[in-house]
Amino acid sequence: MKPQGITISWQGVVVGYMLSYEIDNWNIYGKWQPAQSTLTEEFLNRLAREEELHIMVGGTDAYLDGESQVTKVGGTSAYLDSEPQDTIEFRLL
């Protein structure tokens, strides 16, 4: 069953949910719940290595093509640069 909250997607796959949130300028903070998906573990591992990842919030994912152009499929674009623990924080583009 899908949790009630904001969908967090990466590479076209839902990797988690923000169950409640607060907004502070361009940053959004909220309670993190990981999804049971094929990419969630890789997503968390890349964040643990301090990589900044482009995510989609509230829709399907976007990706960078060979020319480093963002292709938006749906939702709102954001960057995430730290591994979520109990909470998740990201900045909107």
Side-chain angles (χ1 to χ4, degrees):
M1 182 167 102
K2 178 183 167 188
Q4 295 297 314
I6 298 171
T7 302
I8 308 295
S9 302
W10 178 64
Q11 294 187 351
V13 176
V14 174
V15 293
Y17 305 92
M18 180 180 285
L19 302 181
S20 59
Y21 64 91
E22 295 180 28
I23 300 172
D24 179 18
N25 293 319
W26 296 103
N27 294 324
I28 300 178
Y29 310 82
K31 183 170 172 50
W32 166 250
Q33 181 173 344
Q36 295 197 7
S37 74
T38 57
L39 280 182
T40 299
E41 187 174 337
E42 181 183 346
F43 171 76
L44 295 173
N45 287 338
R46 288 185 61 180
L47 286 170
R49 293 191 306 262
E50 299 180 3
E51 293 184 36
E52 182 176 76
L53 300 180
H54 183 234
I55 62 172
M56 293 301 292
V57 179
T60 55
D61 205 358
Y63 59 92
L64 298 177
D65 66 20
E67 301 295 318
S68 297
Q69 299 296 313
V70 173
T71 301
K72 187 173 176 182
V73 179
T76 301
S77 295
Y79 278 114
L80 182 63
D81 61 6
S82 62
E83 183 179 8
Q85 301 296 322
D86 293 333
T87 61
I88 186 171
E89 173 186 347
F90 54 83
R91 101 181 149 272
L92 298 174
L93 296 180

